[in-house]
Amino acid sequence: MNILDIYKEIKRSYKEYIGSFVSIKDERIRKEVSEAIKSEKLWPDALIQFNPNFASGIDVSQMIKNGFPIHKDLGLFFKNPFYKHQQEAIELGCQDKEFIVTSGTGSGKSRTFMATIFNYILQHQEDSINKTIAIIVYPMNALINSQSEELARYRQQYENATGKECPFTFAKYTGQEDSQVRERIQTAPPNIILTNYMMLELLMTRAGDEKRLRDCFLENLHYLIFDELHTYRGMQGSDVSFLIRRIKAQAKKPVLCFGTSATMVADDKLSYKEQRQKVAEVASCIFGSSYDINQVVDETLKVGLSNTNYSKEDILSAINSPIPSDLNADMLRNHPTANWIEQNIALSFDKQEQKYFRGAPCSIREIAEQLHNYIDRKVSIDLCIQHIIEILNWCNDINLNSAT
């Protein structure tokens, strides 16, 4: 799949759609409108944001060696080293400390609370049967369905590795389930319930059969997690905040609250420390707990390519040369323009914080304009645009080739 070709096809189809119902008799106006459609003035350019490389952390065995209270069998679910931000959050969770993870899309935020939940259940297996230990709240049922599939994969992975039954149970409780499924969940409550906040509100208020499930989780609940925490704002945020307080007030045990979000703060005027402080304040308000900046875990990014010592002459030579036809990842890692894109577009480095951040989304033309200025405009802007497109297509082809 070539995403740039798909984008071109969408634009072509949209142009035809707009042109199909534009009927203007005045020749001057018709000419202006037709030119606006042809030159694509009626919609903004598509923006590109690059997936960054995350700094590596350590694996489960090393975390145990470092003295953290983690069950050895957790490594059966998570065999590879965690990312650094995942490790930091899991270490907080396994010490019964609340946390907020504010890393970007695709950074594995759900692993932070899943590993924490799994670790608790592994350490209390005999005492967790038919007891709801964790409730995970999602803003959309589509996310619940996706997480249910991921939990099924974790379960299968454990059972394949050990030949034993998986120690945790889980179920969706969203209003989509039929009466038989709901009855089964109420009779034998799962360790992990995946739900949305409206259904959780109903669980806290309905009488009848659901009272059994409510009594169970209020008796045993240890974790309450809200994914995509930034979606709960305004009146809905107030409703959710009061719902959380009611649950914590009626629960028989202390309830730890975790939150995840990719976009909690979008104020460039605030420093990095101030942004984390703001996240801690918002989390404290929503969850009714006291969070500080040490409980706000952000992603740690790193440079993923190899050639950090390219020169303007190297870039200029690359622009004037054909893109390699080889689908060779090592060749890409050393390509001057690919490295320039990573270090100037995909990432931005904060000297004060000594930390990499994701670059702001920008169009191909904006990338090309920056490249054009970097090489002192020694070639045309159109050649820079074409070169950027060829680099992106080359990256896409290499990714597809490595995935097959």
Side-chain angles (χ1 to χ4, degrees):
M1 179 183 68
N2 187 310
I3 190 64
L4 296 180
D5 288 344
I6 292 174
Y7 173 59
K8 287 180 183 177
E9 179 59 25
I10 291 172
K11 284 200 301 182
R12 184 200 62 75
S13 178
Y14 189 60
K15 281 183 183 180
E16 289 183 357
Y17 169 71
I18 293 178
S20 67
F21 60 79
V22 173
S23 179
I24 302 171
K25 292 183 179 180
D26 188 291
E27 179 62 24
R28 294 168 302 170
I29 298 175
R30 188 191 63 78
K31 186 176 180 181
E32 287 291 328
V33 172
S34 296
E35 180 59 32
I37 294 173
K38 182 179 179 181
S39 60
E40 303 178 3
K41 291 182 179 179
L42 300 182
W43 56 86
D45 288 337
L47 299 181
I48 294 175
Q49 186 168 44
F50 296 86
N51 287 330
N53 286 278
F54 302 104
S56 297
I58 57 179
D59 61 12
V60 169
S61 62
Q62 188 59 53
M63 293 168 74
I64 294 171
K65 289 179 182 177
N66 289 350
F68 288 96
I70 293 175
H71 195 281
K72 61 180 179 59
D73 285 352
L74 188 64
L76 296 172
F77 297 105
F78 306 98
K79 297 181 179 180
N80 298 321
F82 295 107
Y83 293 136
K84 189 173 186 296
H85 63 273
Q86 292 174 329
Q87 172 200 331
E88 291 172 349
I90 293 166
E91 289 174 351
L92 286 171
C94 290
Q95 297 177 86
D96 279 348
K97 296 180 181 179
E98 296 174 305
F99 61 75
I100 307 295
V101 179
T102 60
S103 59
T105 302
S107 62
K109 292 186 290 295
S110 64
R111 284 191 160 205
T112 61
F113 55 78
M114 284 304 176
T116 304
I117 296 168
F118 293 173
N119 182 62
Y120 182 90
I121 294 172
L122 285 167
Q123 292 178 334
H124 302 82
Q125 290 186 56
E126 297 300 324
D127 195 40
S128 298
I129 299 172
N130 292 341
K131 293 180 179 180
T132 298
I133 306 300
I135 296 176
I136 309 175
V137 183
Y138 296 88
M140 296 185 295
N141 286 345
L143 293 173
I144 295 174
N145 296 335
S146 175
Q147 189 66 76
S148 178
E149 292 173 2
E150 185 68 15
L151 283 168
R153 284 192 287 270
Y154 282 128
R155 178 177 60 195
Q156 191 64 53
Q157 179 177 311
Y158 179 91
E159 293 178 351
N160 289 343
T162 65
K164 298 187 295 186
E165 186 177 357
C166 184
F168 69 78
T169 56
F170 67 94
K172 298 183 291 182
Y173 207 88
T174 64
Q176 300 177 102
E177 296 74 31
D178 60 32
S179 58
Q180 288 183 331
V181 172
R182 289 198 301 272
E183 174 65 25
R184 186 168 64 248
I185 294 171
Q186 293 158 9
T187 303
N191 298 139
I192 304 168
I193 291 177
L194 311 175
T195 189
N196 55 63
Y197 94 93
M198 282 301 300
M199 198 66 198
L200 184 56
E201 176 74 50
L202 292 173
L203 277 171
M204 285 296 293
T205 54
R206 280 176 174 170
D209 293 337
E210 285 178 327
K211 183 178 184 299
R212 290 180 295 174
L213 184 58
R214 176 169 68 249
D215 290 344
C216 175
F217 71 69
L218 289 177
E219 183 74 28
N220 302 287
L221 191 65
H222 194 61
Y223 302 111
L224 181 59
I225 298 111
F226 277 76
D227 191 42
E228 305 293 347
L229 192 60
H230 62 276
T231 61
Y232 304 106
R233 59 186 66 186
M235 184 64 72
Q236 187 183 79
S238 297
D239 290 344
V240 167
S241 182
F242 282 116
L243 171 61
I244 292 169
R245 282 161 171 78
R246 292 208 315 277
I247 292 172
K248 293 173 75 172
Q250 296 181 44
K252 300 298 188 292
K253 302 175 182 178
V255 176
L256 300 178
C257 293
F258 304 147
T260 67
S261 173
T263 55
M264 282 290 284
V265 177
D267 191 344
D268 294 335
K269 295 179 182 178
L270 298 178
S271 69
Y272 176 59
K273 182 178 180 181
E274 289 171 335
Q275 289 182 14
R276 294 176 70 205
Q277 183 62 51
K278 182 62 68 175
V279 171
E281 291 173 4
V282 172
S284 299
C285 180
I286 293 176
F287 288 130
S289 302
S290 180
Y291 293 78
D292 60 39
I293 61 172
N294 295 317
Q295 294 168 274
V296 178
V297 181
D298 189 24
E299 62 193 13
T300 303
L301 307 181
K302 67 175 183 177
V303 172
L305 303 184
S306 306
N307 181 10
T308 58
N309 296 317
Y310 59 82
S311 65
K312 290 185 180 182
E313 289 71 25
D314 294 333
I315 298 287
L316 190 58
S317 176
I319 294 173
N320 287 313
S321 303
I323 296 297
S325 58
D326 293 344
L327 300 181
N328 187 314
D330 288 332
M331 193 176 292
L332 173 63
R333 291 188 188 98
N334 286 284
H335 193 277
T337 311
N339 280 269
W340 179 87
I341 290 173
E342 180 181 48
Q343 294 165 38
N344 294 274
I345 306 298
L347 298 174
S348 64
F349 185 71
D350 189 309
K351 292 182 179 179
Q352 182 176 348
E353 296 291 340
Q354 289 293 297
K355 180 179 174 69
Y356 282 105
F357 293 92
R358 296 187 186 218
C362 54
S363 66
I364 290 176
R365 171 166 284 277
E366 289 170 335
I367 298 172
E369 287 173 350
Q370 291 190 47
L371 181 62
H372 191 227
N373 291 330
Y374 176 77
I375 59 171
D376 302 322
R377 305 186 179 186
K378 290 183 178 179
V379 299
S380 69
I381 184 67
D382 289 339
L383 185 56
C384 289
I385 291 173
Q386 183 59 35
H387 182 63
I388 294 296
I389 291 173
E390 290 174 352
I391 288 286
L392 295 178
N393 283 330
W394 187 35
C395 293
N396 186 60
D397 291 341
I398 289 175
N399 285 333
L400 290 175
N401 184 63
S402 63
T404 57

